[in-house]
Amino acid sequence: MLSLTSPLSTGSVRKVEILESAHNSLPLDRRVSRLVLGTLLVDPAVLDEWVRLGGNAIDTARVYGDGAAERDLGAWLASRPDVRDELVLITKGAHPDGARRRVTRADIAADVAASLEALGRPVDVYMLHRDDPALPVGPIMEWLNEHLRAGHVRALGASNWSCERIDEANAFAAGHGLEGFCCSSPHLSLATQNEQHWDDTRSARDPAILAWHERTQMPLFAWSAQARGFFAGHASESVDRVYDNADNRERRRRASALAGQLGCTTNQVALAWVLQQAFPVYAVVGARTVAQLREAVGALELDLTEDDLRWIDLSRDRPMTRG
């Protein structure tokens, strides 16, 4: 249910609107920015700039900072009554507590209630942060629909669920007069992963997941869309462990070469690759500064060719030529 609409205009973020997916017809009544501001860390200055630029989608989770991210975001929302109810809030719940899976009716209800209290308003898109494959999908969809009917949340999504389980859940929902998942949220970046960054996660760099999104046109909210700074040259133990390999270094080299031709940054080219897939993608960017946010927004200006997309992802060997 998310689709592209108007082009980027000077000084604002290109907007998209909730659209029909292959599985669900639940719309939101407002457009959603192609970039989604992540709030693992909340900085009011970055949030203010996001709104000034025209962005409206904000992603958070109950588990971030053990609830601190939602509380800090809620405090900022309270300070901005002019935009508070116009934003698209995405949050996630039912994250495991150590080895204990929390996809239960009681845990979902507790997380929804805590999110509503922290944010001070209903949630636009509520995602389950993880699945519990040992449970049948039917009760899970019934529990989630209770919160839809109560007006706590307005649409449902699945973060790090397998495609097969999403299909199963949406088939159950369709057959029982319930709302299904309108979007999925796995990892997706130009860089492939050496290993999972966090346990029990999914990456759309898996060809089967990518093909499923192309086939179903299920909107994808891409976390770690910038590979945690890999294309900006950021190095850390976690970035090196997950993303540093010969192929990714070559992807970065090619993205840098293309950026030199286009007059932009390597990071912008890498982010444009994420946004220009053959299905609706919404890239979650964890900008920590206003400068990083503005750089990310600049990626919306880029229109990479099919040859560009293939070349920087190593599926085309010859250097591209541009007129």
Side-chain angles (χ1 to χ4, degrees), residues 47-316:
L47 288 162
D48 286 339
E49 180 67 2
W50 182 229
V51 170
R52 191 193 72 80
L53 290 169
N56 69 346
I58 300 175
D59 173 86
T60 188
R62 179 94 291 261
V63 74
Y64 292 168
D66 195 24
E70 285 187 336
R71 290 193 298 272
D72 291 346
L73 177 57
W76 177 81
L77 289 168
S79 76
R80 293 298 308 268
D82 55 321
V83 298
R84 172 181 174 273
D85 294 325
E86 301 304 315
L87 298 171
V88 176
L89 296 187
I90 303 154
T91 195
K92 301 175 288 293
H95 190 280
D97 182 6
R100 187 178 80 83
R101 292 188 181 271
R102 299 181 59 255
V103 183
T104 70
R105 185 180 189 181
D107 286 314
I108 291 170
D111 281 1
V112 169
S115 293
L116 294 179
E117 180 179 5
L119 296 171
R121 49 151 288 190
V123 172
D124 293 294
V125 182
Y126 191 80
M127 298 192 190
L128 292 184
H129 216 153
R130 295 290 192 279
D131 188 13
D132 183 351
L135 296 179
V137 295
I140 297 173
M141 301 314 293
E142 290 170 346
W143 302 333
L144 290 171
N145 272 259
E146 291 173 0
H147 297 286
L148 280 169
R149 290 192 295 271
H152 300 154
V153 305
R154 302 177 62 222
L156 304 173
S159 179
N160 297 301
W161 277 48
S162 71
C163 301
E164 294 77 13
R165 285 278 285 181
I166 295 174
D167 280 337
E168 186 181 355
N170 282 348
F172 178 91
H176 291 79
L178 302 173
E179 298 293 347
F181 294 125
C182 72
C183 57
S184 172
S185 184
H187 161 265
L188 180 62
S189 71
L190 176 59
T192 60
Q193 294 181 318
N194 300 322
E195 60 183 66
Q196 293 182 358
H197 193 93
W198 295 283
D199 290 340
D200 194 24
T201 55
R202 301 285 187 275
S203 175
R205 292 297 275 166
D206 180 331
I209 296 177
L210 201 68
W212 182 85
H213 277 278
E214 290 178 354
R215 175 174 55 83
T216 65
Q217 292 295 296
M218 170 72 80
L220 186 153
F221 283 82
W223 54 263
S224 289
Q226 296 172 294
R228 299 181 66 83
F230 177 81
F231 292 97
H234 176 68
S236 68
E237 182 279 327
S238 62
V239 171
D240 293 348
R241 172 173 54 84
V242 177
Y243 295 111
D244 187 40
N245 60 55
D247 282 349
N248 283 342
R249 289 192 293 273
E250 177 62 12
R251 289 184 175 95
R252 185 168 59 190
R253 186 194 69 79
R254 293 187 183 193
S256 178
L258 181 56
Q261 295 184 38
L262 297 176
C264 63
T265 69
T266 304
N267 213 30
Q268 287 172 326
V269 169
L271 187 54
W273 181 91
V274 173
L275 292 165
Q276 291 182 218
Q277 296 300 304
F279 50 86
V281 176
Y282 301 86
V284 181
V285 295
R288 299 190 177 197
T289 67
V290 167
Q292 289 176 355
L293 179 62
R294 291 173 179 168
E295 181 190 21
V297 170
L300 291 166
E301 299 276 12
L302 300 182
D303 186 15
L304 305 185
T305 68
E306 184 62 30
D307 281 347
D308 293 336
L309 295 170
R310 293 176 57 211
W311 186 67
I312 61 176
D313 195 30
L314 312 187
S315 60
R316 181 177 183 272

